[in-house]
């Protein structure tokens, strides 16, 4: 039995581990922030292969130089997705015509070691100034969907979050608001009744969370998702394919099945982005394709996420499918099913 404070999200924030010396007696200074909640620490095993440990605890590998010559491909590893180029005003990224992402905060409950935004989250800023973002959204009527991202938007107080959501809600052409948050996974106590009562006033609100491994699905994280879903919020999951963490068919399948059992729809499986200090997390694309292929054969269709690569140099998300079209002529398409058998489908 944990004491009462354990279930209080503010206590979890105050008692988060922010210094490697709190865990290891090791004198290393790191280029990137560290922060882990006591809750997430409690899931950790004293084993270097622990998937929780690998996501949360800094490693000297983050300081190693990349072995691939990304420049040859015109890729700037400090901003491989070219978010700067697609950012017309500060804290807003507009890559697709009908939707924008806004970075409401730079803070996270936990700093994931594989994070693409590692450099941004280094700047400790609780709440970003969104005035110019609001103005931009108001003036662009083709924007109908706003994604609140960061950092983790739920690190804000309910009142700060409500101010952002209600401001967006007042803009006529905004049809949906969605939030990307890892709180259900690393800080499930953040999902309070006060929070869900506030969010349900602003429907349609959608939430995507970020489970990477089946051991992250605990009773508490399950309760957190259930609370959000029972408040009428559809939930999706975006995970990142991580070397020696979840790059395995059995592990990933177990995760997807656990997610649908708690009514969270697997949405995306991301190829780990290119960036500084991330190389030890990256897998080959073949690994992801093979996972999707195996899932297609074995589990419920809606338990299978789309495998996506956020293309370097600002290409946006590209879905990668196992190749199902074998041949494409004017008269027919030759298709291959999950068993590898081929079928002709006449064109109209
Ligand atoms: C991923 C992303 C979105 C949302 O894309 P969906 O495919 O609709 O989930 C929006 N804006 C940016 C900049 C993104 O990277
Ligand atoms: S919660 Fe998201 S933004 Fe924050 S460190 Fe993890 S992956 Fe990055």
């Amino acid at each position: 039995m944990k004491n009462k404070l354990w279930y209080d999200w503010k206590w979890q924030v105050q008692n988060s581990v922010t210094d490697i010396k709190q865990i290891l007696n090791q004198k290393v200074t790191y280029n990137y922030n560290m922060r882990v909640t006591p809750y997430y620490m409690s899931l950790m095993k004293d084993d270097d292969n622990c998937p929780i440990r690998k996501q949360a605890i800094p490693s000297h590998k983050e300081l190693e130089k990349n072995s691939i010559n990304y420049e040859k491909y015109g890729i700037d590893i400090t901003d491989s997705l070219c978010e700067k180029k697609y950012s017309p005003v500060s804290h807003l990224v507009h890559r697709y015509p009908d939707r924008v992402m806004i970075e409401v905060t730079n803070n996270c409950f936990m700093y994931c070691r594989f994070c693409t935004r590692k450099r941004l989250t280094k700047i400790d800023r609780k709440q970003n100034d969104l005035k110019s973002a609001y103005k931009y959204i108001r003036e662009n009527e083709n924007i109908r969907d706003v994604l609140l991202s960061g950092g983790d938007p739920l690190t804000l107080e309910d009142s700060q979050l409500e101010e952002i959501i209600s401001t967006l809600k007042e803009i006529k052409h905004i049809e949906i608001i969605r939030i990307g948050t890892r709180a259900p996974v690393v800080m499930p106590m953040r999902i309070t009744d006060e929070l869900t009562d506030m969010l349900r006033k602003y429907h349609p609100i959608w939430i995507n969370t970020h489970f990477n491994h089946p051991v992250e699905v605990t009773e508490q994280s399950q309760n957190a998702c259930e609370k959000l879903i029972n408040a009428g919020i559809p939930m999706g999951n975006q995970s990142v394919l991580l070397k020696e963490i979840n790059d395995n068919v059995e592990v990933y399948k177990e995760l997807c099945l656990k997610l649908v059992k708690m009514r969270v729809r697997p949405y995306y499986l991301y190829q780990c982005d290119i960036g500084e200090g991330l190389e030890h997390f990256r897998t080959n694309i073949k690994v992801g394709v093979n996972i999707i292929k195996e899932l297609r054969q074995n589990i419920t269709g809606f338990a299978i996420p789309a495998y996506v690569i956020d293309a370097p140099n600002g290409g946006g998300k590209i879905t990668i499918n196992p190749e199902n079209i074998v041949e494409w002529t004017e008269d027919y398409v030759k298709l291959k099913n999950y068993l590898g058998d081929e079928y002709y489908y006449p064109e109209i």
Side-chain angles (χ1 to χ4, degrees):
M1 189 58 197
K2 301 276 193 302
N3 78 29
K4 245 178 92 189
L5 284 172
W6 180 263
Y7 298 98
D8 175 355
W9 73 272
K10 291 192 176 166
W11 181 88
Q12 291 266 346
V13 169
Q14 280 153 14
N15 290 280
S16 290
V17 181
T18 55
D19 186 343
I20 188 97
K21 281 176 246 123
Q22 281 170 257
I23 316 167
L24 300 170
N25 199 5
Q26 197 178 330
K27 267 204 167 171
V28 193
T29 46
Y30 288 100
N31 287 7
Y32 308 105
N33 269 352
M34 175 193 180
R35 172 173 273 277
V36 190
T37 57
Y39 163 79
Y40 201 71
M41 283 289 293
S42 77
L43 306 180
M44 213 174 277
K45 292 215 170 67
D46 194 16
D47 168 2
D48 285 346
N49 288 321
C50 169
I52 301 286
R53 178 174 292 272
K54 283 185 175 172
Q55 292 184 65
I57 304 299
S59 148
H60 63 274
K61 289 184 187 147
E62 293 171 46
L63 302 176
E64 282 170 10
K65 281 253 166 296
N66 285 332
S67 64
I68 295 170
N69 181 3
Y70 294 110
E71 272 168 37
K72 197 174 99 188
Y73 298 92
I75 298 168
D76 169 9
I77 58 160
T78 66
D79 180 24
S80 74
L81 305 178
C82 287
E83 291 197 324
K84 269 187 230 127
K85 186 170 135 201
Y86 290 89
S87 180
V89 295
S90 49
H91 315 305
L92 180 144
V93 184
H94 193 184
R95 200 193 303 274
Y96 307 103
D98 72 325
R99 52 210 194 275
V100 291
M101 180 178 83
I102 53 182
E103 294 155 0
V104 301
T105 172
N106 281 15
N107 296 0
C108 292
F109 292 115
M110 175 175 106
Y111 292 110
C112 311
R113 305 325 302 167
F114 53 83
C115 180
T116 317
R117 299 222 152 76
K118 263 168 112 142
R119 298 175 129 261
L120 294 179
T121 53
K122 182 77 194 167
I123 308 159
D124 183 59
R125 199 166 45 216
K126 177 96 178 172
Q127 191 171 20
N128 285 332
D129 178 2
L130 300 176
K131 273 191 218 75
S132 49
Y134 294 146
K135 183 166 183 282
Y136 182 85
I137 296 168
R138 275 193 201 102
E139 289 168 358
N140 284 269
E141 288 184 16
N142 43 358
I143 300 168
R144 39 163 289 280
D145 168 3
V146 180
L147 164 58
L148 306 184
S149 179
D152 194 320
L154 293 194
T155 56
L156 298 182
E157 299 291 329
D158 292 352
S159 57
Q160 296 172 306
L161 197 60
E162 179 161 19
E163 198 190 306
I164 296 169
I165 296 173
S166 61
T167 305
L168 292 168
K169 201 68 194 174
E170 277 167 21
I171 304 173
K172 273 229 163 56
H173 49 272
I174 297 308
E175 295 172 2
I176 59 170
I177 295 169
R178 40 176 169 161
I179 302 171
T181 176
R182 232 192 152 188
V185 185
V186 298
M187 180 72 102
M189 42 296 276
R190 175 65 185 93
I191 314 304
T192 59
D193 294 338
E194 292 74 25
L195 176 72
T196 52
D197 286 345
M198 183 277 280
L199 291 174
R200 73 190 325 151
K201 292 193 284 181
Y202 299 97
H203 275 317
I205 301 275
W206 291 63
I207 288 186
N208 270 337
T209 189
H210 180 169
F211 286 90
N212 284 329
H213 193 283
V215 299
E216 292 171 335
V217 181
T218 64
E219 204 181 316
Q220 275 197 78
S221 62
Q222 208 160 332
N223 287 342
C225 294
E226 189 169 296
K227 259 187 171 166
L228 291 166
I229 294 163
N230 289 348
I233 302 168
M235 281 191 71
N237 187 67
Q238 314 195 159
S239 37
V240 181
L241 184 58
L242 298 167
K243 191 174 176 180
E244 286 158 13
I245 294 177
N246 61 6
D247 60 340
N248 166 296
V249 178
E250 284 315 308
V251 169
Y252 203 76
K253 185 172 106 184
E254 190 187 339
L255 173 65
C256 292
L257 293 178
K258 280 189 165 173
L259 289 170
V260 292
K261 270 170 81 180
M262 54 181 189
R263 293 183 284 165
V264 176
R265 165 81 151 99
Y267 181 50
Y268 284 147
L269 168 60
Y270 280 103
Q271 172 73 4
C272 183
D273 287 327
I274 293 166
E276 262 172 16
L278 302 181
E279 216 168 74
H280 58 295
F281 286 113
R282 303 208 316 112
T283 64
N284 282 339
I285 293 170
K286 260 197 208 120
V287 174
V289 169
N290 187 49
I291 288 176
I292 299 299
K293 215 159 123 183
E294 290 289 325
L295 294 183
R296 181 54 68 194
Q297 196 163 340
N298 287 297
I299 65 172
T300 311
F302 62 73
I304 308 170
Y307 178 36
V308 294
I309 296 183
D310 216 334
N313 295 326
K317 295 182 183 70
I318 299 177
T319 45
I320 307 296
N321 288 313
E323 286 178 60
N324 292 329
I325 297 182
V326 183
E327 196 186 341
W328 206 331
T329 74
E330 261 181 34
D331 301 326
Y332 63 84
V333 185
K334 190 158 123 190
L335 304 170
K336 196 171 67 181
N337 77 355
Y338 67 95
L339 293 169
D341 300 332
E342 290 174 355
Y343 296 88
Y344 287 93
Y345 192 95
E347 285 276 51
I348 197 146

mmCIF file of all heavy atoms in Angstrom, residues 98-100 133-134 136-147 164-178 202-204:
data_model
loop_
_atom_site.group_PDB
_atom_site.id
_atom_site.type_symbol
_atom_site.label_atom_id
_atom_site.label_comp_id
_atom_site.label_asym_id
_atom_site.label_seq_id
_atom_site.Cartn_x
_atom_site.Cartn_y
_atom_site.Cartn_z
ATOM 1 N N ASP A 98 -4.967 21.490 -43.182
ATOM 2 C CA ASP A 98 -6.130 21.654 -42.296
ATOM 3 C C ASP A 98 -5.820 21.560 -40.816
ATOM 4 O O ASP A 98 -6.727 21.622 -39.993
ATOM 5 C CB ASP A 98 -7.196 20.610 -42.645
ATOM 6 C CG ASP A 98 -6.781 19.208 -42.202
ATOM 7 O OD1 ASP A 98 -5.571 18.902 -42.271
ATOM 8 O OD2 ASP A 98 -7.651 18.444 -41.766
ATOM 9 N N ARG A 99 -4.553 21.350 -40.448
ATOM 10 C CA ARG A 99 -4.284 21.171 -39.024
ATOM 11 C C ARG A 99 -2.926 21.729 -38.621
ATOM 12 O O ARG A 99 -1.989 21.733 -39.416
ATOM 13 C CB ARG A 99 -4.372 19.695 -38.640
ATOM 14 C CG ARG A 99 -3.551 18.746 -39.486
ATOM 15 C CD ARG A 99 -4.251 17.385 -39.515
ATOM 16 N NE ARG A 99 -3.410 16.300 -40.010
ATOM 17 C CZ ARG A 99 -3.251 16.007 -41.295
ATOM 18 N NH1 ARG A 99 -3.819 16.756 -42.216
ATOM 19 N NH2 ARG A 99 -2.501 14.990 -41.662
ATOM 20 N N VAL A 100 -2.857 22.185 -37.384
ATOM 21 C CA VAL A 100 -1.587 22.704 -36.861
ATOM 22 C C VAL A 100 -1.273 22.060 -35.529
ATOM 23 O O VAL A 100 -2.148 21.570 -34.828
ATOM 24 C CB VAL A 100 -1.598 24.241 -36.652
ATOM 25 C CG1 VAL A 100 -1.644 24.988 -37.966
ATOM 26 C CG2 VAL A 100 -2.728 24.685 -35.722
ATOM 27 N N ALA A 133 0.370 32.503 -32.046
ATOM 28 C CA ALA A 133 -0.215 31.255 -32.557
ATOM 29 C C ALA A 133 -1.730 31.414 -32.692
ATOM 30 O O ALA A 133 -2.316 31.047 -33.715
ATOM 31 C CB ALA A 133 0.122 30.089 -31.631
ATOM 32 N N TYR A 134 -2.361 31.986 -31.676
ATOM 33 C CA TYR A 134 -3.820 32.208 -31.743
ATOM 34 C C TYR A 134 -4.168 33.091 -32.942
ATOM 35 O O TYR A 134 -5.120 32.828 -33.664
ATOM 36 C CB TYR A 134 -4.335 32.904 -30.475
ATOM 37 C CG TYR A 134 -4.225 32.093 -29.204
ATOM 38 C CD1 TYR A 134 -3.964 32.724 -27.987
ATOM 39 C CD2 TYR A 134 -4.418 30.712 -29.202
ATOM 40 C CE1 TYR A 134 -3.871 32.011 -26.800
ATOM 41 C CE2 TYR A 134 -4.324 29.986 -28.019
ATOM 42 C CZ TYR A 134 -4.050 30.635 -26.827
ATOM 43 O OH TYR A 134 -3.961 29.931 -25.663
ATOM 44 N N TYR A 136 -2.510 33.561 -35.691
ATOM 45 C CA TYR A 136 -2.304 32.818 -36.938
ATOM 46 C C TYR A 136 -3.491 31.884 -37.220
ATOM 47 O O TYR A 136 -3.982 31.794 -38.334
ATOM 48 C CB TYR A 136 -1.005 32.013 -36.839
ATOM 49 C CG TYR A 136 -0.670 31.251 -38.098
ATOM 50 C CD1 TYR A 136 0.010 31.868 -39.145
ATOM 51 C CD2 TYR A 136 -1.045 29.913 -38.236
ATOM 52 C CE1 TYR A 136 0.305 31.163 -40.303
ATOM 53 C CE2 TYR A 136 -0.751 29.205 -39.386
ATOM 54 C CZ TYR A 136 -0.071 29.840 -40.420
ATOM 55 O OH TYR A 136 0.226 29.143 -41.573
ATOM 56 N N ILE A 137 -3.946 31.192 -36.178
ATOM 57 C CA ILE A 137 -5.055 30.241 -36.348
ATOM 58 C C ILE A 137 -6.346 30.994 -36.699
ATOM 59 O O ILE A 137 -7.094 30.585 -37.582
ATOM 60 C CB ILE A 137 -5.247 29.371 -35.083
ATOM 61 C CG1 ILE A 137 -4.007 28.501 -34.860
ATOM 62 C CG2 ILE A 137 -6.494 28.497 -35.187
ATOM 63 C CD1 ILE A 137 -3.942 27.804 -33.506
ATOM 64 N N ARG A 138 -6.560 32.111 -36.016
ATOM 65 C CA ARG A 138 -7.759 32.921 -36.322
ATOM 66 C C ARG A 138 -7.775 33.359 -37.775
ATOM 67 O O ARG A 138 -8.818 33.378 -38.423
ATOM 68 C CB ARG A 138 -7.782 34.186 -35.449
ATOM 69 C CG ARG A 138 -8.387 33.942 -34.104
ATOM 70 C CD ARG A 138 -8.697 35.247 -33.363
ATOM 71 N NE ARG A 138 -8.788 34.911 -31.949
ATOM 72 C CZ ARG A 138 -7.845 35.131 -31.040
ATOM 73 N NH1 ARG A 138 -6.723 35.755 -31.386
ATOM 74 N NH2 ARG A 138 -7.996 34.746 -29.803
ATOM 75 N N GLU A 139 -6.593 33.692 -38.309
ATOM 76 C CA GLU A 139 -6.525 34.233 -39.673
ATOM 77 C C GLU A 139 -6.483 33.161 -40.758
ATOM 78 O O GLU A 139 -6.539 33.471 -41.930
ATOM 79 C CB GLU A 139 -5.297 35.153 -39.790
ATOM 80 C CG GLU A 139 -5.491 36.446 -39.031
ATOM 81 C CD GLU A 139 -4.205 37.253 -38.890
ATOM 82 O OE1 GLU A 139 -3.142 36.775 -39.367
ATOM 83 O OE2 GLU A 139 -4.277 38.345 -38.299
ATOM 84 N N ASN A 140 -6.365 31.909 -40.373
ATOM 85 C CA ASN A 140 -6.301 30.839 -41.375
ATOM 86 C C ASN A 140 -7.501 29.925 -41.251
ATOM 87 O O ASN A 140 -7.500 28.970 -40.476
ATOM 88 C CB ASN A 140 -5.010 30.033 -41.200
ATOM 89 C CG ASN A 140 -3.829 30.790 -41.746
ATOM 90 O OD1 ASN A 140 -3.478 30.643 -42.911
ATOM 91 N ND2 ASN A 140 -3.237 31.629 -40.918
ATOM 92 N N GLU A 141 -8.488 30.222 -42.067
ATOM 93 C CA GLU A 141 -9.767 29.525 -41.910
ATOM 94 C C GLU A 141 -9.749 28.070 -42.356
ATOM 95 O O GLU A 141 -10.700 27.335 -42.100
ATOM 96 C CB GLU A 141 -10.877 30.295 -42.638
ATOM 97 C CG GLU A 141 -11.212 31.566 -41.896
ATOM 98 C CD GLU A 141 -12.366 32.340 -42.487
ATOM 99 O OE1 GLU A 141 -13.114 31.746 -43.307
ATOM 100 O OE2 GLU A 141 -12.502 33.529 -42.139
ATOM 101 N N ASN A 142 -8.698 27.677 -43.059
ATOM 102 C CA ASN A 142 -8.658 26.249 -43.419
ATOM 103 C C ASN A 142 -8.128 25.354 -42.303
ATOM 104 O O ASN A 142 -8.127 24.144 -42.429
ATOM 105 C CB ASN A 142 -7.923 25.998 -44.742
ATOM 106 C CG ASN A 142 -6.661 26.823 -44.834
ATOM 107 O OD1 ASN A 142 -6.360 27.599 -43.926
ATOM 108 N ND2 ASN A 142 -5.926 26.658 -45.912
ATOM 109 N N ILE A 143 -7.744 25.945 -41.190
ATOM 110 C CA ILE A 143 -7.324 25.126 -40.044
ATOM 111 C C ILE A 143 -8.571 24.711 -39.268
ATOM 112 O O ILE A 143 -9.322 25.544 -38.785
ATOM 113 C CB ILE A 143 -6.361 25.902 -39.113
ATOM 114 C CG1 ILE A 143 -5.114 26.319 -39.891
ATOM 115 C CG2 ILE A 143 -5.981 25.053 -37.900
ATOM 116 C CD1 ILE A 143 -4.241 27.314 -39.167
ATOM 117 N N ARG A 144 -8.784 23.402 -39.186
ATOM 118 C CA ARG A 144 -9.972 22.913 -38.464
ATOM 119 C C ARG A 144 -9.619 22.033 -37.268
ATOM 120 O O ARG A 144 -10.468 21.644 -36.496
ATOM 121 C CB ARG A 144 -10.918 22.161 -39.404
ATOM 122 C CG ARG A 144 -10.220 21.267 -40.449
ATOM 123 C CD ARG A 144 -11.135 20.270 -41.067
ATOM 124 N NE ARG A 144 -11.465 19.243 -40.103
ATOM 125 C CZ ARG A 144 -10.681 18.205 -39.795
ATOM 126 N NH1 ARG A 144 -9.500 18.050 -40.384
ATOM 127 N NH2 ARG A 144 -11.046 17.319 -38.900
ATOM 128 N N ASP A 145 -8.329 21.727 -37.147
ATOM 129 C CA ASP A 145 -7.891 20.755 -36.146
ATOM 130 C C ASP A 145 -6.615 21.302 -35.499
ATOM 131 O O ASP A 145 -5.645 21.621 -36.196
ATOM 132 C CB ASP A 145 -7.648 19.441 -36.916
ATOM 133 C CG ASP A 145 -6.917 18.365 -36.146
ATOM 134 O OD1 ASP A 145 -6.606 18.554 -34.967
ATOM 135 O OD2 ASP A 145 -6.632 17.308 -36.763
ATOM 136 N N VAL A 146 -6.637 21.453 -34.179
ATOM 137 C CA VAL A 146 -5.442 21.940 -33.479
ATOM 138 C C VAL A 146 -4.949 20.865 -32.522
ATOM 139 O O VAL A 146 -5.697 20.345 -31.697
ATOM 140 C CB VAL A 146 -5.714 23.244 -32.694
ATOM 141 C CG1 VAL A 146 -4.441 23.715 -31.986
ATOM 142 C CG2 VAL A 146 -6.233 24.334 -33.613
ATOM 143 N N LEU A 147 -3.680 20.547 -32.677
ATOM 144 C CA LEU A 147 -3.045 19.544 -31.822
ATOM 145 C C LEU A 147 -2.204 20.254 -30.765
ATOM 146 O O LEU A 147 -1.267 20.988 -31.100
ATOM 147 C CB LEU A 147 -2.185 18.634 -32.716
ATOM 148 C CG LEU A 147 -1.133 17.736 -32.075
ATOM 149 C CD1 LEU A 147 -1.745 16.791 -31.057
ATOM 150 C CD2 LEU A 147 -0.415 16.935 -33.152
ATOM 151 N N ILE A 164 -6.291 27.834 -22.711
ATOM 152 C CA ILE A 164 -5.873 27.553 -24.087
ATOM 153 C C ILE A 164 -7.026 26.929 -24.875
ATOM 154 O O ILE A 164 -7.366 27.362 -25.978
ATOM 155 C CB ILE A 164 -4.655 26.592 -24.092
ATOM 156 C CG1 ILE A 164 -3.459 27.270 -23.426
ATOM 157 C CG2 ILE A 164 -4.307 26.153 -25.513
ATOM 158 C CD1 ILE A 164 -2.292 26.345 -23.137
ATOM 159 N N ILE A 165 -7.637 25.916 -24.288
ATOM 160 C CA ILE A 165 -8.704 25.207 -24.996
ATOM 161 C C ILE A 165 -9.893 26.126 -25.258
ATOM 162 O O ILE A 165 -10.441 26.139 -26.360
ATOM 163 C CB ILE A 165 -9.142 23.951 -24.193
ATOM 164 C CG1 ILE A 165 -7.977 22.960 -24.114
ATOM 165 C CG2 ILE A 165 -10.360 23.293 -24.828
ATOM 166 C CD1 ILE A 165 -8.211 21.765 -23.213
ATOM 167 N N SER A 166 -10.264 26.937 -24.255
ATOM 168 C CA SER A 166 -11.435 27.793 -24.459
ATOM 169 C C SER A 166 -11.141 28.886 -25.489
ATOM 170 O O SER A 166 -12.013 29.263 -26.271
ATOM 171 C CB SER A 166 -11.931 28.382 -23.142
ATOM 172 O OG SER A 166 -10.934 29.182 -22.564
ATOM 173 N N THR A 167 -9.901 29.366 -25.520
ATOM 174 C CA THR A 167 -9.537 30.362 -26.531
ATOM 175 C C THR A 167 -9.671 29.771 -27.935
ATOM 176 O O THR A 167 -10.217 30.397 -28.846
ATOM 177 C CB THR A 167 -8.089 30.860 -26.311
ATOM 178 O OG1 THR A 167 -7.972 31.334 -24.982
ATOM 179 C CG2 THR A 167 -7.708 31.952 -27.284
ATOM 180 N N LEU A 168 -9.203 28.544 -28.102
ATOM 181 C CA LEU A 168 -9.280 27.895 -29.419
ATOM 182 C C LEU A 168 -10.729 27.585 -29.790
ATOM 183 O O LEU A 168 -11.143 27.711 -30.937
ATOM 184 C CB LEU A 168 -8.454 26.606 -29.419
ATOM 185 C CG LEU A 168 -6.946 26.800 -29.311
ATOM 186 C CD1 LEU A 168 -6.257 25.472 -29.028
ATOM 187 C CD2 LEU A 168 -6.386 27.436 -30.588
ATOM 188 N N LYS A 169 -11.462 27.182 -28.790
ATOM 189 C CA LYS A 169 -12.861 26.802 -28.978
ATOM 190 C C LYS A 169 -13.697 27.969 -29.512
ATOM 191 O O LYS A 169 -14.677 27.787 -30.224
ATOM 192 C CB LYS A 169 -13.388 26.349 -27.616
ATOM 193 C CG LYS A 169 -14.585 25.474 -27.632
ATOM 194 C CD LYS A 169 -14.336 24.113 -28.201
ATOM 195 C CE LYS A 169 -15.691 23.467 -28.481
ATOM 196 N NZ LYS A 169 -15.583 22.203 -29.168
ATOM 197 N N GLU A 170 -13.274 29.192 -29.139
ATOM 198 C CA GLU A 170 -14.015 30.373 -29.599
ATOM 199 C C GLU A 170 -13.793 30.677 -31.072
ATOM 200 O O GLU A 170 -14.514 31.477 -31.651
ATOM 201 C CB GLU A 170 -13.588 31.603 -28.778
ATOM 202 C CG GLU A 170 -14.330 31.698 -27.467
ATOM 203 C CD GLU A 170 -13.687 32.701 -26.532
ATOM 204 O OE1 GLU A 170 -12.936 33.591 -27.022
ATOM 205 O OE2 GLU A 170 -13.904 32.588 -25.316
ATOM 206 N N ILE A 171 -12.781 30.057 -31.663
ATOM 207 C CA ILE A 171 -12.510 30.314 -33.080
ATOM 208 C C ILE A 171 -13.453 29.445 -33.904
ATOM 209 O O ILE A 171 -13.434 28.220 -33.785
ATOM 210 C CB ILE A 171 -11.025 30.029 -33.421
ATOM 211 C CG1 ILE A 171 -10.126 30.855 -32.497
ATOM 212 C CG2 ILE A 171 -10.740 30.313 -34.889
ATOM 213 C CD1 ILE A 171 -8.649 30.552 -32.608
ATOM 214 N N LYS A 172 -14.290 30.093 -34.700
ATOM 215 C CA LYS A 172 -15.387 29.404 -35.412
ATOM 216 C C LYS A 172 -14.945 28.204 -36.227
ATOM 217 O O LYS A 172 -15.600 27.164 -36.238
ATOM 218 C CB LYS A 172 -16.081 30.398 -36.358
ATOM 219 C CG LYS A 172 -17.181 31.183 -35.681
ATOM 220 C CD LYS A 172 -18.468 31.168 -36.525
ATOM 221 C CE LYS A 172 -19.657 31.583 -35.671
ATOM 222 N NZ LYS A 172 -19.440 32.921 -35.047
ATOM 223 N N HIS A 173 -13.823 28.324 -36.971
ATOM 224 C CA HIS A 173 -13.461 27.243 -37.892
ATOM 225 C C HIS A 173 -12.745 26.072 -37.209
ATOM 226 O O HIS A 173 -12.432 25.082 -37.853
ATOM 227 C CB HIS A 173 -12.657 27.771 -39.091
ATOM 228 C CG HIS A 173 -11.513 28.677 -38.707
ATOM 229 N ND1 HIS A 173 -11.654 30.035 -38.548
ATOM 230 C CD2 HIS A 173 -10.213 28.409 -38.447
ATOM 231 C CE1 HIS A 173 -10.489 30.569 -38.217
ATOM 232 N NE2 HIS A 173 -9.593 29.599 -38.157
ATOM 233 N N ILE A 174 -12.489 26.163 -35.913
ATOM 234 C CA ILE A 174 -11.841 25.033 -35.226
ATOM 235 C C ILE A 174 -12.882 23.979 -34.859
ATOM 236 O O ILE A 174 -13.790 24.223 -34.074
ATOM 237 C CB ILE A 174 -11.067 25.494 -33.968
ATOM 238 C CG1 ILE A 174 -9.938 26.445 -34.376
ATOM 239 C CG2 ILE A 174 -10.488 24.305 -33.193
ATOM 240 C CD1 ILE A 174 -9.011 25.924 -35.462
ATOM 241 N N GLU A 175 -12.750 22.806 -35.463
ATOM 242 C CA GLU A 175 -13.738 21.741 -35.254
ATOM 243 C C GLU A 175 -13.320 20.766 -34.164
ATOM 244 O O GLU A 175 -14.143 20.285 -33.408
ATOM 245 C CB GLU A 175 -13.963 20.971 -36.564
ATOM 246 C CG GLU A 175 -14.582 21.836 -37.648
ATOM 247 C CD GLU A 175 -14.640 21.150 -38.990
ATOM 248 O OE1 GLU A 175 -14.231 19.974 -39.102
ATOM 249 O OE2 GLU A 175 -15.094 21.801 -39.952
ATOM 250 N N ILE A 176 -12.030 20.439 -34.119
ATOM 251 C CA ILE A 176 -11.583 19.526 -33.069
ATOM 252 C C ILE A 176 -10.274 20.010 -32.435
ATOM 253 O O ILE A 176 -9.450 20.665 -33.077
ATOM 254 C CB ILE A 176 -11.381 18.058 -33.561
ATOM 255 C CG1 ILE A 176 -10.361 17.976 -34.690
ATOM 256 C CG2 ILE A 176 -12.687 17.428 -33.999
ATOM 257 C CD1 ILE A 176 -9.965 16.541 -35.020
ATOM 258 N N ILE A 177 -10.146 19.653 -31.170
ATOM 259 C CA ILE A 177 -8.902 19.939 -30.452
ATOM 260 C C ILE A 177 -8.377 18.608 -29.951
ATOM 261 O O ILE A 177 -9.136 17.778 -29.446
ATOM 262 C CB ILE A 177 -9.162 20.894 -29.263
ATOM 263 C CG1 ILE A 177 -9.625 22.252 -29.792
ATOM 264 C CG2 ILE A 177 -7.906 21.049 -28.396
ATOM 265 C CD1 ILE A 177 -10.163 23.179 -28.726
ATOM 266 N N ARG A 178 -7.113 18.372 -30.162
ATOM 267 C CA ARG A 178 -6.554 17.137 -29.606
ATOM 268 C C ARG A 178 -5.308 17.434 -28.784
ATOM 269 O O ARG A 178 -4.622 18.426 -28.980
ATOM 270 C CB ARG A 178 -6.287 16.098 -30.678
ATOM 271 C CG ARG A 178 -5.723 16.641 -31.958
ATOM 272 C CD ARG A 178 -5.428 15.481 -32.867
ATOM 273 N NE ARG A 178 -5.117 15.924 -34.202
ATOM 274 C CZ ARG A 178 -4.480 15.159 -35.075
ATOM 275 N NH1 ARG A 178 -4.094 13.952 -34.745
ATOM 276 N NH2 ARG A 178 -4.224 15.623 -36.271
ATOM 277 N N TYR A 202 -15.560 20.807 -23.390
ATOM 278 C CA TYR A 202 -15.068 21.366 -24.662
ATOM 279 C C TYR A 202 -15.065 20.365 -25.813
ATOM 280 O O TYR A 202 -14.286 20.488 -26.743
ATOM 281 C CB TYR A 202 -13.661 21.954 -24.463
ATOM 282 C CG TYR A 202 -13.652 23.064 -23.463
ATOM 283 C CD1 TYR A 202 -13.299 22.832 -22.139
ATOM 284 C CD2 TYR A 202 -14.037 24.349 -23.841
ATOM 285 C CE1 TYR A 202 -13.313 23.852 -21.204
ATOM 286 C CE2 TYR A 202 -14.057 25.377 -22.912
ATOM 287 C CZ TYR A 202 -13.693 25.120 -21.591
ATOM 288 O OH TYR A 202 -13.716 26.137 -20.681
ATOM 289 N N HIS A 203 -15.920 19.382 -25.750
ATOM 290 C CA HIS A 203 -15.920 18.365 -26.807
ATOM 291 C C HIS A 203 -16.171 18.963 -28.185
ATOM 292 O O HIS A 203 -16.829 19.979 -28.277
ATOM 293 C CB HIS A 203 -16.993 17.312 -26.492
ATOM 294 C CG HIS A 203 -16.462 16.259 -25.565
ATOM 295 N ND1 HIS A 203 -15.209 15.721 -25.724
ATOM 296 C CD2 HIS A 203 -16.983 15.661 -24.464
ATOM 297 C CE1 HIS A 203 -14.993 14.828 -24.760
ATOM 298 N NE2 HIS A 203 -16.053 14.777 -23.971
ATOM 299 N N PRO A 204 -15.693 18.358 -29.263
ATOM 300 C CA PRO A 204 -14.897 17.143 -29.288
ATOM 301 C C PRO A 204 -13.407 17.331 -28.956
ATOM 302 O O PRO A 204 -12.695 18.049 -29.655
ATOM 303 C CB PRO A 204 -15.037 16.670 -30.739
ATOM 304 C CG PRO A 204 -15.320 17.915 -31.524
ATOM 305 C CD PRO A 204 -16.016 18.862 -30.606
#
